[in-house]
Amino acid sequence: MLLGVGPATAQGTPDLTLTGVMTGADHETYREVGFRVPAGVTAITVEFAYTGREERSVIDLGLRDPQRFRGWSGGNKSSFTVAGTWATASYLPGPLPAGQWKLILGVPNLRKDSRAPYTAKISFVRGPAFAGFAAAPLKTGLAWYRGDLHLHTGHSDGSCASRKGVRVPCPLFKTVEAAAARGLDFVSVTEHNATSHHQALAELQPYYDDLLLIPGREITTFHGHANVFGTTAPLDFQLGGPRAPSLERILDQVAAAGGLISINHPGMPSGEACMGCGWTAATDFSRIPAIEAVNGGSLAQTGGVDGFLSGIPFWEAGLNAGYRITAIGGSDNHDATRDPAQPQAVGVPTTVVRAAELSQGAILAGIRAGHVFVDLAGARDRTLQVTAAAGGQSAAMGDALAAPAGARVMFAVHVAKAAGGRLALAGPAARLVTLADAALSADATSTFSLISDGRPGWLRVDVRGPDGRLWLLGNPVYLNPPSH
């Protein structure tokens, strides 16, 4: 059976179309079909089809670049991609030299009087943009999608017990297995400065066709750590050296590659226990779309998000300075076999994103828009939805709303599967609200309003448990936001 496993980058009009015909004279022979790759190509996708299967005709497929053999999928794939940092299973990633490449066509069977016309559609990607390992959305429709945005495996410092109980670098598939078992919709594996895991993600994505695997890495510097999502392109991490004299250099590379950057665990101290973990880099926060306000490692150390390691105060300082930055969470898991009920297990916390579909582009767009809440316990079904309305316009979490002085702003909050919890408000606009202190039911809708003072500000709705511990962290609605 031929499997189509081309990535999203393969969609669209091909750059080259090669056609030909195999006949009975080609039985048990090989043919190499040349095509020219121009300079500047960063990925090549081949889509191959032929006719004659009803007569048991078989054409196998492989690839050579100008210097070396790049892979052989035989008859098991109808499409494949080769890129500098990853490739479809059966093929090798690596540099894509300009020049004459060749498709290798092998014919293990073709009857004497048969003909097998073939077509090879070849598409080139130029530049670092990357649409994802999945060829199409894994789910369609606007929904809340749940995921973990900070995970480590044996490709960096993740470890777990081997079958004999010895501590070893933990294989990446164990993390993906744990995420699937938790019912997550997406994950980003974020190794320290490494990209070797992208090849493993490309191999696993076709099998995990209900779990979106987003490429990521943790840019680990002496002045702070940051996750970058959605790109496989090379990025510098040696902040302060000649490769990246300032953070601007790294941010430029992330922007050029279409990636999304998030400052990690900014409340952590830096020192011998955690090199560069706190954020001290000189930063233009107008270029920072997200901050990891909730980190599973911090939760594990302090028992809650309100401890001294919390990233929430750092995030709120950015909001108070007028920046619209999305709060996300990540487990920072380093052992895929960790007890799933414990903080820092895969999916604890969970970042929940309102997105148009389950695709890399839609999830990252939802994060950029701030349509996000963080579930600190990593529950499978808790929901927090906030809508504000004024002057005939409405806004959700992450959105802005114009509210001149004297205007009434109505808020509606829907919380599901958080019975016994209570709403809690934060932000400059919270002082304009008197909120009833009532326990939530299993499926609760609450409303409240405020009279705007016309000032720029923000208001966030959270859910806290009966003991005051944070259960769900919302993102703000921005009232009269300034422009930077």
Side-chain angles (χ1 to χ4, degrees):
M1 180 175 66
L2 289 174
L3 301 178
V5 291
T9 51
Q11 297 176 351
T13 304
D15 292 277
L16 299 173
T17 299
L18 310 178
T19 61
V21 178
M22 296 294 197
T23 69
D26 296 301
H27 177 72
E28 293 188 349
T29 66
Y30 295 96
R31 181 184 300 181
E32 294 191 352
V33 181
F35 63 97
R36 182 158 291 277
V37 175
V41 169
T42 55
I44 301 169
T45 292
V46 176
E47 298 175 85
F48 187 75
Y50 65 93
T51 61
R53 289 187 179 84
E54 69 280 358
E55 297 179 338
R56 307 297 294 271
S57 299
V58 178
I59 304 177
D60 289 342
L61 185 63
L63 182 68
R64 292 185 185 276
D65 71 19
Q67 285 95 37
R68 62 172 177 151
F69 176 68
R70 294 299 289 260
W72 179 258
S73 53
N76 65 58
K77 294 178 178 69
S78 63
S79 63
F80 64 84
T81 295
V82 174
T85 54
W86 68 278
T88 301
S90 302
Y91 293 87
L92 298 174
L96 306 181
Q100 190 76 358
W101 289 55
K102 294 178 180 179
L103 291 181
I104 310 169
L105 305 183
V107 185
N109 191 65
L110 213 158
R111 294 173 181 171
K112 181 179 179 180
D113 296 325
S114 294
R115 298 173 79 257
Y118 66 82
T119 301
K121 297 179 180 179
I122 301 173
S123 301
F124 301 137
V125 174
R126 296 170 175 83
F130 176 65
F133 296 119
L138 303 190
K139 297 178 184 177
T140 57
L142 182 66
W144 289 103
Y145 296 107
R146 315 179 80 84
D148 192 337
L149 291 168
H150 194 162
L151 296 160
H152 295 280
T153 77
H155 286 268
S156 60
D157 55 348
S159 65
C160 58
S162 71
R163 290 169 60 85
K164 290 184 177 180
V166 178
R167 204 75 186 170
V168 297
C170 206
L172 185 144
F173 83 89
K174 296 294 288 183
T175 291
V176 179
E177 275 189 349
R182 197 171 194 96
L184 297 182
D185 298 300
F186 65 90
V187 293
S188 186
V189 178
T190 53
E191 309 294 10
H192 294 284
N193 302 323
T195 60
S196 58
H197 58 298
H198 295 162
Q199 180 66 21
L201 293 174
E203 180 179 351
L204 291 173
Q205 183 65 89
Y207 178 79
Y208 288 95
D209 52 4
D210 57 352
L211 176 64
L212 184 68
L213 307 181
I214 299 174
R217 81 200 74 168
E218 185 167 13
I219 302 295
T220 306
T221 82
F222 302 137
H223 308 283
H225 299 184
N227 276 343
V228 177
F229 310 114
T231 179
T232 65
L235 301 172
D236 287 317
F237 64 90
Q238 294 162 267
L239 182 59
R243 293 185 181 275
S246 71
L247 183 63
E248 292 300 305
R249 166 69 174 170
I250 297 173
L251 295 179
D252 288 345
Q253 292 176 343
V254 172
L260 188 152
I261 192 167
S262 171
I263 294 174
N264 287 350
H265 43 64
M268 295 284 285
S270 295
E272 293 181 354
C274 190
M275 181 206 72
C277 283
W279 190 260
T280 59
T283 306
D284 176 1
F285 283 93
S286 69
R287 303 189 67 185
I288 302 298
I291 289 173
E292 187 186 69
V294 185
N295 174 272
S298 299
L299 292 178
Q301 291 184 57
T302 63
V305 77
D306 296 315
F308 68 97
L309 300 179
S310 174
I312 293 177
F314 182 94
W315 169 53
E316 290 183 338
L319 301 180
N320 290 333
Y323 298 104
R324 292 170 63 179
I325 304 174
T326 303
I328 62 175
S331 68
D332 205 355
N333 176 268
H334 285 70
D335 181 350
T337 65
R338 187 178 177 91
D339 181 349
Q342 296 299 314
Q344 209 174 6
V346 172
V348 185
T350 295
T351 298
V352 190
V353 182
R354 184 79 162 171
E357 61 187 19
L358 185 56
S359 67
Q360 177 175 296
I363 293 297
L364 297 186
I367 294 172
R368 289 183 188 278
H371 299 163
V372 172
F373 69 89
V374 181
D375 184 337
L376 276 73
R380 290 175 180 259
D381 50 8
R382 281 181 172 171
T383 300
L384 170 62
Q385 193 157 336
V386 179
T387 305
Q393 298 183 333
S394 64
M397 287 186 292
D399 294 340
L401 191 66
R408 180 176 294 276
V409 183
M410 299 295 300
F411 284 82
V413 182
H414 176 233
V415 180
K417 308 297 184 180
R422 285 174 164 76
L423 299 185
L425 304 183
R431 61 184 174 79
L432 305 175
V433 180
T434 300
L435 191 65
D437 183 22
L440 297 169
S441 63
D443 194 324
T445 298
S446 305
T447 60
F448 60 87
S449 66
L450 60 83
I451 302 299
S452 174
D453 59 8
R455 300 179 190 175
W458 54 274
L459 187 143
R460 188 181 81 237
V461 181
D462 300 331
V463 176
R464 291 184 176 271
D467 60 358
R469 290 181 179 270
L470 190 64
W471 283 1
L472 303 176
L473 174 70
N475 268 280
V477 173
Y478 298 92
L479 303 177
N480 310 308
S483 58
H484 282 274

